[in-house]
Amino acid sequence: MFACRLPWWRFSATCKLRQSGHFVPWDSCQMLSVKGINTTVGQEQQAGLKRKQVLEDLEMNLARSETEALFHEQPETGNPYLEDTLLRSYLKTHLPPKVLQEVHQDLERFGSLLHTKIQPLSWECELNPPVFRQYDAWGQRVDHIHTCSAWRRMKEISAEEGLIAEAYERRYSNWSRLYQAVKLYLFSSSSGGFSCPLAMTDGAAKVIESLGIPGSLKNAFDHLTTRDPQKFWTSGQWMTERRGGSDVANGTKTVARKQPDGSYRLYGFKWFTSAADSDMTLTLARIADAEGQCTQGSKGLSLFFLRVRDEEGKLNNIQVQRLKDKLGTRQMATAELWLQGARAELISAEGRGVAAISNMLNITRIHNVIGAVASMRRMVSLSRDYARKRVAFGKLLKDHPLHMQTIARMEVQVRGAFLLLMEIARLLGLAETNLASEQELLLLRLLIPVAKLYTGKQASAVAVEAMESFGGQGYMEDTGLPVILRDTLVLSIWEGTTNILSLDVLRSLIKSQGQVMAAFLSTVQKKLELASGTQELSPAVQQAREAIGRLQQFLAGAGSEQALTMELAARDFSYSLARIYTG
């Protein structure tokens, strides 16, 4: 009967809205047409108020559309192998040409898989942490730990990529361990926490190999080191009990009772068992004699192997008390477990459990270093990409000198830690193929605790600094950045705290009667001689030599000092070793 006619002042607004993709609702147009009809004064006023409200709503939409371009751009990374120039430079410098050619092709492929397939699985693991179901619908106790499909897929990928197998197949002789470390380094920050069970799995395989792979453990070793995802096992490491973790000599109360068939039954409470969904585990216990008495101290501890479940999938006389509510690494099931007659096999000499499991601790500490360096690399890479996109005070962050200086300082930390990691992996590869000299073996003994304690502290410090480079966005949970920070905080605690490892460094000096320190100083001096020919490195070389001089003075005077003084200096001393070697 009559057309919808907008006043002249509406057309400009409508045109702007059409250009921005916003349109006037039809009912609003109908409402505005009332002005062309005979209306009462009250109706006219009501229509005027409605017109005013519509105009305000439209102007708000315009304001919103004009600010859309101000949203932050998400930092992104690509193929982590191709983007890591230091890693590729290191491999090119050190690997034999034939090995490099094969490794490069595989790492480029693996890097692409990480970027396109594995990283999304990592976030899925974070969003779907494990769930513990103690009873079924009929009241039967089942103690089932449910993990998400992404977590289970991570296990399959770990087997397919040979993340454990690579170190034990030794296709590349002494370079196999370094190659494995590189793949784990690339995998770690995209693993959704699965790097932790891999650490213990690698450690368990190392222990079994060090025992000569006895016939009773051959099946377990094959499962731990297979590339077949259907046969691949992961392992736990059940050491921590109620009285603490590092003090296993006094904290372990689990009792092993020998059975007529030669096996053992374990009785006790394990307070902190990471990767509780693993297929097997290694654990410490005290063997009870005929009168039920156990030898106390470290001499009473023996090492046992046990399957977590039997062939039917039932728990091996194990009850799950609860899952731990942790600050980070929430993707992984960590539980409190009751051992109520769990069937186990003694795999060390009686009373030699601590010595037997030391190989596992060395491997898991190296994995800890891998995780620390990987998390630092991830955070710095994201910070660097964000600096290329984020505009503040009229220019990109990358054009602010102070901001770039901060990123450069983090980069230096990452590079030093990476080179320290590669050195340890190189030395371990030599040791495993019987190619290491006595000096290299001593150096490896020292560098493992030094690297673990130093990079564990570095990782959280770099993560905090990198988070700050994102401003308020760094504090937002759904960016994924807080996840990285939380997960780094455990790296200075797991596998020995900073103080525990500092004391371990001192023990290595004392037990070797100074040979470990002599090997360290000799190696550093050789590196300095190589670097002294480069003019640009002269100031750094001079600083390193001065630091070594102070270190030697400290050691020279330590013999006459009390043990308390040495202990109080252990932490700073260990930091000095790390800084000198990375420098």
Side-chain angles (χ1 to χ4, degrees), residues 136-369:
D136 67 11
W138 306 100
Q140 298 296 317
R141 183 153 187 167
V142 291
D143 284 0
H144 178 65
I145 299 173
H146 175 76
T147 55
C148 68
S149 59
W151 179 263
R152 298 191 295 273
R153 178 61 186 138
M154 287 294 190
K155 182 178 181 180
E156 295 172 352
I157 290 170
S158 299
E160 293 163 357
E161 293 294 333
L163 297 182
I164 302 301
E166 195 65 60
Y168 298 91
E169 293 169 347
R170 303 208 169 93
R171 293 186 297 159
Y172 304 120
S173 185
N174 57 295
W175 296 109
S176 293
R177 182 60 81 168
L178 186 139
Y179 178 40
Q180 181 217 27
V182 169
K183 291 197 78 169
L184 289 167
Y185 159 73
L186 293 172
F187 179 68
S188 181
S189 59
S190 300
S191 72
F194 204 82
S195 54
C196 180
L198 288 181
M200 295 182 290
T201 301
D202 196 357
K206 183 63 179 176
V207 168
I208 295 174
E209 185 183 57
S210 69
L211 295 172
I213 315 181
S216 62
L217 296 176
K218 178 67 165 58
N219 181 56
F221 183 79
D222 290 344
H223 279 286
L224 295 171
T225 58
T226 184
R227 289 177 180 262
D228 184 344
Q230 302 304 315
K231 298 178 180 178
F232 181 56
W233 285 0
T234 55
S235 177
Q237 174 186 306
W238 299 355
M239 294 176 64
T240 306
E241 300 194 8
R242 280 197 174 106
R243 292 184 62 182
S246 297
D247 187 12
V248 294
N250 297 306
T252 303
K253 300 300 179 184
T254 298
V255 173
R257 302 189 186 281
K258 193 169 185 178
Q259 305 301 301
D261 63 358
S263 66
Y264 287 80
R265 295 280 186 175
L266 304 188
Y267 300 85
F269 187 80
K270 296 298 181 178
W271 173 251
F272 200 96
T273 61
S274 294
D277 60 324
S278 292
D279 302 278
M280 57 157 280
T281 191
L282 299 185
T283 189
L284 295 172
R286 300 184 187 278
I287 297 175
D289 59 21
E291 286 75 36
Q293 300 300 309
C294 300
T295 303
Q296 299 305 304
S298 61
K299 293 181 179 179
L301 293 175
S302 302
L303 184 61
F304 293 85
F305 158 84
L306 65 87
R307 289 290 310 277
V308 177
R309 295 179 181 273
D310 61 22
E311 298 301 328
E312 297 178 357
K314 295 180 180 179
L315 286 170
N316 176 13
N317 295 307
I318 299 168
Q319 282 193 344
V320 181
Q321 174 126 319
R322 63 169 178 163
L323 295 186
K324 294 289 194 179
D325 186 9
K326 298 170 293 180
L327 171 65
T329 62
R330 297 172 181 173
Q331 316 93 329
M332 177 185 62
T334 302
E336 296 173 12
L337 303 177
W338 279 105
L339 306 184
Q340 299 179 325
R343 183 175 291 276
E345 176 185 346
L346 176 66
I347 63 173
S348 72
E350 191 170 331
R352 294 288 296 165
V354 174
I357 206 169
S358 63
N359 282 301
M360 188 175 205
L361 297 179
N362 282 334
I363 295 297
T364 53
R365 286 171 178 174
I366 292 172
H367 277 257
N368 204 93
V369 177

